Amino acid sequence: MTTSPPTHHTQPLSADELMALWLQLQQPTALLELAVFGGCLLLAWFMVRVWAGRQVPHGSVWFGDRIYDGVLFPLLALVLALIARRVLLNDVPLAVFRLVLPILVSLAIIRLTVKVLRAAFPDSGAVQAIERTVSWLAWAGSVLWITGILPLVQEELGAVTLNIGASKISVRSLIEGTLSAVLVLILSLSVSSAIEARLLKGSSDSLSLRKIAANVIRVLLITIGLIMALSAAGVDLTALSVLGGAIGVGLGFGLQKLASNYVSGFVILAERSLRIGDLVKVDNFEGRITDINTRYTVLRASTGREAIVPNELLITQRVENASMAHHKLQLMTVVQVAYGTDIDWLRPLLLKAVAAVPRVVDDPGVYLTAFASDGLELTISFWVADPESGQMNVRSDVNMAVLKCLNDLGVDIPFAQQVLHLPPAATDALTAVAGAMGGTVADVASGEVSSPTP
């Protein structure tokens, strides 16, 4: 690190200059500036309100939730204030605009950072820490600019250089490059989020292709933005070839699984074998696909549980897709009726009762599938067009309809019975006991007759 003697062209405000600024704020012209600035704020609010329309999109990065808490309002207010400052520059000694312009710049930076990070990472706990850091830096920069210290700090940082190989980079360039990288990253995330929301909005047709297009656009924007930021910081881009080689070695050894998951994600989205909304079963977990990212896929079961499945698993293992050809799902339920029941008479009545259930589509089926020990086993199959609405509830509705139909028709549903066979000697003994008690053998066996009280 080397330090060259700085050349001072800008000095911080002295006590007399600060007093002069304070006196200018007490002049009648300051009221004119305040009125003009208030008009700029009102005009900016009106323009954003007209642009947003009657219904403001919830959580919008540009419009916010209440028009004035978005990014567009401070940006328009800043542009209008700059125009007003240019108009008043030759006629009025400016004092108010000298204070409000840095404040508007800081407010725009804070709003842009906060809104974009919240939209890109809604569940991240580090976003609040980043928000506080950006807020402190922005307001500190405003204070330094108003007092005239910021240009002096920039000159001092520009005089301090770092030797990196054969090139020299000043600390000022390094800081500005870092801030540029952060700003470009925020803008890239904002643009990619807006494009992704627009691509994924609407019907579910070609949703997988639109998802892969959104992922590719996000990666390209972030990559281009970082390259531009590095170039602005004075970093030789040819040095990135070494970094690219290191990344290649890392992918070849330690990052194979990670790279495989990313490639598998693009393959799944491209070939459309799995789509958002499909009902699939992977590794004994059944659920509906709610999101397909470049590294993993999210499955949500009907119970509310979610599974994060690596994309490589969906490529290399067996996956049961119940929605690939169509979204209909077949469900079954089983009931037994007593032997001797006329199945030909009962079957159309059960079909009518099941078909009357609201969510049942097409023609249900009733099949005699087994001769059970207690009765005739009937299997009832039916289709639903909206399995995402739940399976247990519609199966319960079908069971209730079947039970009501059997009760109305007087058809018995058998229950488990056991037959007891006794040897002749035991039968004679029970007969004697029953005769002494004044009952029958069946009464003694069931415990309905007790021994008389002496």
Side-chain angles (χ1 to χ4, degrees):
M1 178 184 297
T2 59
T3 304
S4 58
T7 303
H8 300 288
H9 299 288
T10 305
Q11 297 292 334
L13 295 180
S14 61
D16 295 337
E17 291 173 334
L18 289 175
M19 183 59 66
L21 179 61
W22 172 251
L23 293 176
Q24 288 179 1
L25 291 174
Q26 299 177 1
Q27 298 297 322
T29 55
L31 297 177
L32 176 62
E33 291 184 81
L34 285 175
V36 173
F37 178 66
C40 293
L41 295 179
L42 184 61
L43 181 58
W45 182 89
F46 179 76
M47 294 174 63
V48 176
R49 187 70 183 87
V50 172
W51 195 350
R54 294 183 178 180
Q55 185 175 2
V56 180
H58 178 70
S60 174
V61 174
W62 295 103
F63 301 106
D65 296 328
R66 296 179 296 274
I67 299 298
Y68 57 85
D69 60 343
V71 178
L72 193 57
F73 174 72
L75 287 179
L76 283 178
L78 178 61
V79 173
L80 294 176
L82 288 174
I83 296 174
R85 175 182 177 275
R86 185 66 179 176
V87 173
L88 298 176
L89 184 61
N90 297 325
D91 300 327
V92 177
L94 299 180
V96 174
F97 279 94
R98 186 174 180 178
L99 298 177
V100 298
L101 288 179
I103 294 176
L104 287 177
V105 172
S106 302
L107 184 60
I109 294 175
I110 294 172
R111 289 282 174 81
L112 179 62
T113 304
V114 170
K115 291 295 183 180
V116 172
L117 290 179
R118 285 181 179 177
F121 310 102
D123 300 326
S124 177
V127 172
Q128 294 183 354
I130 297 176
E131 292 176 7
R132 289 193 295 267
T133 303
V134 172
S135 300
W136 279 105
L137 291 176
W139 293 125
S142 299
V143 174
L144 293 177
W145 178 267
I146 293 173
T147 58
I149 300 177
L150 184 60
L152 180 60
V153 174
Q154 291 177 337
E155 291 182 3
E156 294 291 341
L157 293 176
V160 181
T161 59
L162 300 175
N163 296 324
I164 302 178
S167 60
K168 293 183 178 181
I169 300 178
S170 64
V171 176
R172 175 180 176 179
S173 299
L174 188 61
I175 295 176
E176 290 178 350
T178 302
L179 295 178
S180 300
V182 173
L183 181 61
V184 168
L185 183 61
I186 292 174
L187 291 176
S188 301
L189 290 174
S190 175
V191 174
S192 62
S193 298
I195 294 176
E196 182 177 1
R198 181 62 61 89
L199 287 175
L200 300 181
K201 185 179 180 180
S203 62
S204 59
D205 297 337
S206 304
L207 185 58
S208 298
L209 293 179
R210 286 182 282 164
K211 183 70 175 179
I212 190 174
N215 291 336
V216 171
I217 290 174
R218 170 171 292 192
V219 172
L220 289 178
L221 287 176
I222 293 177
T223 302
I224 294 173
L226 290 178
I227 292 177
M228 294 175 60
L230 291 175
S231 178
V235 178
D236 188 6
L237 297 181
T238 58
L240 296 179
S241 59
V242 180
L243 179 61
I247 294 176
V249 174
L251 291 176
F253 289 97
L255 303 179
Q256 291 182 2
K257 291 292 184 180
L258 184 61
S260 177
N261 286 323
Y262 272 95
V263 174
S264 299
F266 283 105
V267 170
I268 292 172
L269 291 171
E271 68 181 9
R272 303 177 65 186
S273 58
L274 298 175
R275 297 161 297 183
I276 296 177
D278 285 356
L279 182 64
V280 299
K281 185 177 182 180
V282 183
D283 196 19
N284 294 326
F285 186 90
E286 184 176 1
R288 184 164 298 277
I289 297 177
T290 58
D291 193 13
I292 301 178
N293 293 311
T294 52
R295 188 181 64 84
Y296 61 87
T297 298
V298 180
L299 303 182
R300 181 178 179 84
S302 58
T303 58
R305 296 183 300 118
E306 290 185 337
I308 299 177
V309 183
N311 290 326
E312 183 188 12
L313 189 65
L314 301 176
I315 295 292
T316 58
Q317 292 193 8
R318 173 187 173 185
V319 178
E320 298 180 13
N321 191 343
S323 308
M324 189 169 183
H326 53 76
H327 288 279
K328 295 181 181 179
L329 181 65
Q330 186 184 39
L331 300 176
M332 296 184 182
T333 186
V334 178
V335 66
Q336 287 187 5
V337 295
Y339 279 102
T341 303
D342 189 354
I343 302 299
D344 294 332
W345 164 75
L346 179 63
R347 185 172 178 273
L349 298 176
L350 287 178
L351 290 175
K352 183 179 179 180
V354 174
V357 177
R359 289 179 56 193
V360 174
V361 296
D362 297 337
D363 295 329
V366 177
Y367 309 96
L368 178 60
T369 53
F371 297 97
S373 59
D374 302 317
L376 300 174
E377 184 178 281
L378 301 179
T379 299
I380 303 173
S381 66
F382 54 95
W383 293 82
V384 293
D386 53 347
E388 66 276 2
S389 299
Q391 302 178 22
M392 188 177 299
N393 49 5
V394 67
R395 184 179 280 113
S396 175
D397 293 340
V398 170
N399 288 335
M400 294 293 292
V402 170
L403 180 62
K404 184 177 185 303
C405 178
L406 295 179
N407 290 336
D408 293 342
L409 297 175
V411 178
D412 293 333
I413 300 178
F415 50 87
Q417 300 180 10
Q418 294 180 350
V419 179
L420 182 63
H421 296 279
L422 298 175
T427 303
D428 296 338
L430 284 176
T431 302
V433 172
M437 292 182 178
T440 63
V441 175
D443 295 335
V444 175
S446 62
E448 296 181 358
V449 177
S450 59
S451 59
T453 304

